[in-house]
Amino acid sequence: MRAFLVWLVPAAAAFAAWWIFLGTDSDDQYTVGQVAGLVVVLLVIGVACGWLARTMDLLPLVVSAVVGISAACWTSWSDSEDGLFVIGWLMVTAGAVIGATVVIVGSWAVRRRIDVKGRPAA
C-alpha cells in the first residue's frame, strides 16, 4: 500500500496544484500571484514528501511529482494550435525534475541529519 501511495500522492497533489492555480485560467495569461502560489504549494508538497520519505522512496517520489506537474502542464497547454507549447512543456518538465530532486532529497537529508543528531550516544 505504501508503494502505491508513494507513486500516486505526489503526482495527484502536483496535478491538483497546477489546476487550482493555473488550470482554471481560460486565456493562459498567468499572473505573478498565480505562479508564485503554485511554486509555494509545490515547495510544501516537496518538503512534505521528502520529510516523510524512506531512502527507497526517493526516486518514486521525485518521478511521480514530475509526472504530475508535467501531465497537468501538457493537458493545460496541448490545445495550442501553433505547437510551440511543447517547448514550454519541456522547460517546465526540466525545471520540475531539478526542483523536485533538490527539494525532496534536500528535505529528506535534513530530516535524516536531525534524526542522527537527536539520537542518544551509545
Side-chain angles (χ1 to χ4, degrees):
M1 182 67 171
R2 180 176 174 91
F4 177 71
L5 292 176
V6 165
W7 282 102
L8 184 65
V9 171
F15 191 92
W18 178 280
W19 278 102
I20 289 169
F21 286 97
L22 304 181
T24 57
D25 196 333
S26 62
D27 61 356
D28 290 338
Q29 299 296 320
Y30 308 129
T31 65
V32 173
Q34 286 175 297
V35 176
L38 174 63
V39 169
V40 168
V41 170
L42 290 175
L43 284 172
V44 169
I45 292 168
V47 169
C49 287
W51 197 264
L52 299 173
R54 292 187 277 188
T55 304
M56 66 182 152
D57 295 339
L58 290 176
L59 182 62
L61 285 170
V62 170
V63 169
S64 67
V66 171
V67 166
I69 199 74
S70 183
C73 180
W74 184 275
T75 304
S76 180
W77 293 347
S78 64
D79 60 351
S80 173
E81 294 176 8
D82 59 7
L84 291 176
F85 75 93
V86 174
I87 295 169
W89 175 79
L90 286 171
M91 291 170 57
V92 167
T93 301
V97 168
I98 294 166
T101 302
V102 167
V103 171
I104 291 172
V105 173
S107 61
W108 170 80
V110 167
R111 196 220 52 212
R112 187 169 176 211
R113 186 168 185 101
I114 289 171
D115 285 349
V116 170
K117 283 185 176 181
R119 291 191 181 141

